[in-house]
Amino acid sequence: MNWLKRLLRLEEPEPVEKPEPEPPVVEPCPICGLTPKLKHTCVTRNYPYYCLGEDTWSLLEWCDHGESILSFAPLFESDDVQKWNTACQRLKTTIDEPIPECPACGEKPVVQPDLESDIPQLVCSCNELLSNYEIANIYQRKGEWIYRCKALKRKQDNMKELKQLIGETQ
């Protein structure tokens, strides 16, 4: 009989409250250890023929290193929490990786102040790996040094293989 009353609008159904979803896990800052606070938001987007509600989590109260951390984030990630977690993991691997010596000259790099910016740079005597274009923080400088060392080492290994191939064919 209740369904008949509801059908006739004599009895309204009780509203059902939607429970707040479980908050996602947020990585702490790898530099200072602070964890950003979360805020649950529901974004409603109106499309031409339907309305779409999307539950998201926004990050609040970031630490002072937020800009440095987010420079390691993927460009096309739309979820704030996932972007933060990915950037923290990438920064941790860069911080934890030891600085290798230059494959060209075999020296460990020394830290020198950059004349163009206030960010210190890594320099060896041959300056083979030196490049400072668009590097915004010291963690990116270290990551760039490691990347260039690996690339130069790969190039040297490829040259050795090519010389061996040429030597074997003659």
Side-chain angles (χ1 to χ4, degrees), residues 9-89:
R9 301 269 186 216
L10 297 176
E11 182 180 313
E12 290 293 321
E14 294 181 20
V16 178
E17 286 188 28
K18 186 177 169 184
E20 189 169 301
E22 229 10 73
V25 177
V26 180
E27 296 272 331
C29 173
I31 301 167
C32 66
L34 292 175
T35 304
K37 298 204 181 343
L38 290 172
K39 179 183 178 186
H40 180 254
T41 57
C42 184
V43 178
T44 305
R45 296 190 175 124
N46 294 321
Y47 290 102
Y49 302 107
Y50 60 93
C51 183
L52 178 68
E54 181 182 345
D55 288 331
T56 61
W57 290 90
S58 301
L59 295 173
L60 301 174
E61 299 180 22
W62 305 46
C63 64
D64 294 339
H65 308 106
E67 187 176 323
S68 296
I69 292 170
L70 290 177
S71 66
F72 283 86
L75 295 176
F76 300 109
E77 183 70 46
S78 61
D79 184 21
D80 286 347
V81 176
Q82 187 62 35
K83 183 183 265 190
W84 175 267
N85 288 343
T86 305
C88 286
Q89 290 167 358

Side-chain angles (χ1 to χ4, degrees), residues 111-131:
V111 179
Q112 289 182 349
D114 191 1
L115 300 175
E116 298 171 3
S117 68
D118 60 346
I119 301 169
Q121 63 181 347
L122 296 170
V123 180
C124 65
S125 63
C126 69
N127 287 335
E128 181 74 25
L129 301 173
L130 186 64
S131 175

Side-chain angles (χ1 to χ4, degrees), residues 125-144:
S125 63
C126 69
N127 287 335
E128 181 74 25
L129 301 173
L130 186 64
S131 175
N132 296 323
Y133 67 96
E134 298 180 12
I135 297 179
N137 60 52
I138 56 174
Y139 308 105
Q140 283 182 328
R141 287 266 164 101
K142 181 180 177 185
E144 184 69 19

Side-chain angles (χ1 to χ4, degrees), residues 90-103:
R90 287 181 178 177
L91 180 58
K92 277 185 209 172
T93 58
T94 302
I95 290 173
D96 293 342
E97 193 168 349
I99 297 177
E101 58 270 344
C102 175

